[in-house]
Amino acid sequence: MWNEKSINELKTRRAAHAAGGGAARVEKQHASGKMTAYERLEYLFDRGTFTEVNTLVESRINDFGMDKKKVLGDGVVTGYGRIGGKLVFASSQDFTVGGGSLGEAQAQKICRIMDMAYDNRAPFVSVNDSGGARIEEGIDSLSGYAGIFYRHSRFSGVIPQIAVLMGPCAGGACYAPALCDFIFMTEKTSQMYITGPAVIKAVTGETVTTDELGGAGVHTQKSGVAHFSYPDDKSCLNGVRQLIGFLPSNSEDKGAPFDESSISKATGFQSIVPDDKKKAYDVRRVIEEIADRGTFLEVQADWSKNIVIGFIRMGHRTVGVVANQPNVLAGSLDFNAADKAARFIRFCDCFGIPILTLVDVPAFLPGKQQEYSGIIRHGAKMLYAYSEATVPKVSLIMRKAYGGAYIAMNSKGLGADMVFAWPIAEIAVMGADGAANIIGRKKIAEAEDKAAARAEIIAEYEEKFMNPYVAAARGFVDEVILPEETKSRIVNAFIMLDGKKQSLPAKKHGNLPL
C-alpha cells in the first residue's frame, strides 16, 4: 500500500494549481466577462480531450516578495488535445495569477509546449491575457519573451500558429501574436499596444484610452494587425475552431483530396456580375456561389475592404481565395490591399493550400497619398508573393483586368497555372476611355466633331482589346468559359494540378520587399 501522505500531497498540489489565483480573483475574472485560462482550453478543445502539461512548474525567484506570491503553474496553462479530431497544442495565460505576467518559469512552459507542437507537426494556439513582463524577475522575463519570439519565427511555415487575445497584451509582448499566422481578439476585453496611455500622455500630451489605442476595432479595421474579432470568449474560441477546420496540421499535410462528385452546379453568376463595367457588385456573392455551400470564411473582413481574402471548400478541399471587391474603390489595389493579399498568398503557399484568384480590377489606386504611402513597395510584395508561390494557382478574369493591377492579380506571367476568363472580360493596358485620351489625342484635337472622333477611337480600341480573345490568342488566357461552366472548370483544374511539383532556384531565401 502506497504512503497516503504522498498521494494526498499530489492531490493538494493539483488542487492548488487548479485554484489559480484564488476564488476572489476567479470571480473577478468572471465578472469582467472573461473565462479563466483553464476554462478557455476546456472549451476550445473537443470535450474531454485536453491534457495539461507541466502543472507543477513554479518560479525559482524569491526577490521582491516573490517567495510569497508563487503559484503552481506560474500563471499559464499548457497542454494538448483535439480540435475537430485534429491534434493541437496550446498555452493559455492565467490573469488571476499575478495578472498573467510572464516570468522565467512561465516562458519555459510556453516554449516547451511550442516545441512539442513543432516536434509533432501540429498547430499551436496561444491564448494571451497578461499584464506583460514580470518586473520582479528582470532580464529573465525579457529572455523568456525572446525564446517565444524565436520559436514563432523558426516554426513559421511549418505549423500553423494562432494567437487569441482575450485580455491585455502590451509592450514587447505584442510581438508574439504579431509573429503568428492569425490573430483573434475579443471586442470588449482585449487590447494590444506597444506604448500605453500613460506613456503617450507623458511624451505627447495626448489622452487616449486603451480601447482607442489598441482595442479589437482598431486592429481589425485600422491597423490590419488582427484578422478576426468576436463579442466574447466563447464566440471567439468557436471562431478559432472554425479556422483550424480549414487548415492542414503542417506544411506537409495535403489534407483531403478534391471530391469532384460532390460539386454542385453554379448558375447564378450572370445575376451577380453585371456586364456594365461601371456597375458595382459584391464579389463575396461570387465566392459563395463557387464554394461548397456555407463554407466561406472571410479573413480580415473589416480591413482594406477593396480586396477580399479567405478560405472556402471546393469538393471538401480547402482553397484560398483572393478577389477584387468592386463594391469598394471599384476593386482597385491600394497599398493596404497589396499587403493583405501578399501575406495571405504566402500563408497558403506555406501550407500547400491551392489559390483561386478572382479578377475584376481597374488599376493600382492613383494619388499622391498612395505614392507617399509606398504603394510601389507594397504592391511589389503582392507581385513577389504570387511569383514565389508554388502551390496550384488558378485565376478567373471576371470583368476588368487593366494594367499593372492585372499583372499583380496572378496573371499568367507571374506563374498562374490556369487562367480562365468570362466572355465579358476586358484585358488591356487601361480602359477604353483613358486609352482614347492618349492614343487618339492628336486625331481628336484635329477633328471637327471631337466627340464623334473620340467615340470612334473608343469603339476601335474596345473591338481590338476590350475582350478576352486577344489574350486567349496569345496564350495569356487558357480558356474563355461560360458562367455555368465556371465551378466545374475551376475544380477540374485544381484536380489536374494536385500533383504539381515545382521548386524555386537554389538559394537561402529571397529578399521580399518589406
Side-chain angles (χ1 to χ4, degrees), residues 69-357:
K69 299 178 184 178
K70 293 181 183 180
V71 174
L72 288 174
D74 203 44
V76 69
V77 178
T78 58
Y80 60 90
R82 300 277 169 177
I83 296 179
K86 185 180 300 180
L87 178 65
V88 177
F89 292 77
S91 66
S92 180
Q93 291 178 309
D94 189 349
F95 196 77
T96 71
V97 178
S101 61
L102 185 136
E104 177 191 47
Q106 182 183 132
Q108 287 176 349
K109 284 184 66 175
I110 294 173
C111 289
R112 167 64 176 147
I113 205 69
M114 292 178 74
D115 289 340
M116 291 176 70
Y118 175 75
D119 290 343
N120 288 278
R121 296 300 191 265
F124 173 67
V125 177
S126 171
V127 181
N128 296 261
D129 190 358
S130 170
R134 189 174 296 163
I135 298 172
E136 294 92 338
E137 297 197 24
I139 197 168
D140 287 315
S141 176
L142 299 181
S143 177
Y145 278 121
I148 294 169
F149 300 163
Y150 180 83
R151 285 165 174 79
H152 279 308
S153 302
R154 287 286 177 158
F155 302 164
S156 178
V158 181
I159 57 173
Q161 301 181 73
I162 299 170
V164 188
L165 275 68
M166 294 185 156
C169 182
C174 293
Y175 288 111
L179 289 166
C180 289
D181 297 303
F182 298 98
I183 298 175
F184 288 74
M185 296 184 73
T186 49
E187 292 170 4
K188 297 179 181 178
T189 56
S190 66
Q191 301 92 31
M192 177 168 48
Y193 46 81
I194 295 296
T195 308
V199 175
I200 290 176
K201 175 72 171 177
V203 174
T204 69
E206 184 181 4
T207 301
V208 292
T209 66
T210 52
D211 283 337
E212 289 174 326
L213 192 60
V218 170
H219 290 307
T220 55
Q221 298 170 32
K222 297 181 180 180
S223 72
V225 169
H227 299 78
F228 303 95
S229 66
Y230 291 88
D232 51 39
D233 283 13
K234 287 188 175 180
S235 60
C236 191
L237 294 169
N238 287 337
V240 175
R241 288 180 59 89
Q242 183 185 13
L243 175 64
I244 286 176
F246 280 96
L247 305 183
S249 292
N250 54 65
S251 58
E252 297 179 354
D253 176 13
K254 290 195 69 172
F258 285 96
D259 179 5
E260 194 172 11
S261 66
S262 70
I263 299 295
S264 59
K265 285 190 175 182
T267 58
F269 295 117
Q270 291 187 63
S271 64
I272 298 170
V273 182
D275 59 5
D276 181 349
K277 60 183 176 291
K278 294 181 180 178
K279 289 185 178 180
Y281 62 92
D282 188 348
V283 77
R284 291 174 298 184
R285 293 180 59 201
V286 176
I287 297 170
E288 289 165 356
E289 190 79 7
I290 290 173
D292 294 348
R293 187 175 297 277
T295 64
F296 175 39
L297 175 62
E298 188 173 358
V299 176
Q300 290 184 300
D302 296 322
W303 181 62
S304 191
K305 295 183 179 182
N306 46 316
I307 200 157
V308 174
I309 60 172
F311 298 106
I312 62 172
R313 290 191 183 91
M314 297 189 75
H316 306 308
R317 176 74 180 269
T318 296
V319 172
V321 177
V322 179
N324 303 115
Q325 175 57 290
N327 263 353
V328 181
L329 299 177
S332 296
L333 296 174
D334 66 351
F335 64 94
N336 279 334
D339 274 12
K340 177 178 172 179
R343 188 145 196 271
F344 182 74
I345 293 161
R346 300 193 87 213
F347 175 83
C348 290
D349 189 50
C350 285
F351 293 99
I353 298 171
I355 301 170
L356 172 62
T357 304

Side-chain angles (χ1 to χ4, degrees), residues 419-455:
V419 178
F420 299 111
W422 283 337
I424 62 170
E426 300 177 344
I427 306 163
V429 174
M430 61 175 61
D433 288 349
N437 294 335
I438 298 172
I439 62 177
R441 180 174 52 190
K442 184 177 180 181
K443 185 176 179 179
I444 294 170
E446 294 174 349
E448 290 186 13
D449 188 342
K450 292 179 171 46
R454 190 170 186 277

Side-chain angles (χ1 to χ4, degrees), residues 273-277 281 359-361 395-402 406 419-428 461-472 477 479-481 483:
V273 182
D275 59 5
D276 181 349
K277 60 183 176 291
Y281 62 92
V359 185
D360 191 347
V361 63
S395 291
L396 170 65
I397 300 174
M398 300 181 295
R399 209 169 54 168
K400 298 189 294 289
Y402 298 163
Y406 148 70
V419 178
F420 299 111
W422 283 337
I424 62 170
E426 300 177 344
I427 306 163
Y461 188 86
E462 287 179 340
E463 182 181 350
K464 288 186 176 180
F465 300 112
M466 306 304 285
N467 63 69
Y469 302 110
V470 173
V477 167
E479 200 68 43
V480 181
I481 60 174

Side-chain angles (χ1 to χ4, degrees), residues 34-65:
K34 300 196 294 184
M35 302 165 75
T36 65
Y38 196 79
E39 289 168 346
R40 286 164 173 164
L41 295 187
E42 282 284 284
Y43 188 85
L44 174 65
F45 286 94
D46 297 346
R47 186 181 297 275
T49 68
F50 177 65
T51 301
E52 192 172 357
V53 175
N54 292 139
T55 57
L56 304 180
V57 167
E58 64 179 351
S59 173
R60 66 191 178 100
I61 306 299
N62 294 317
D63 300 322
F64 303 105

Side-chain angles (χ1 to χ4, degrees), residues 496-510:
M496 176 271 293
L497 292 163
D498 202 38
K500 177 185 175 184
K501 298 290 183 185
Q502 190 179 56
S503 59
L504 297 172
K507 56 184 174 181
K508 186 172 182 180
H509 57 72

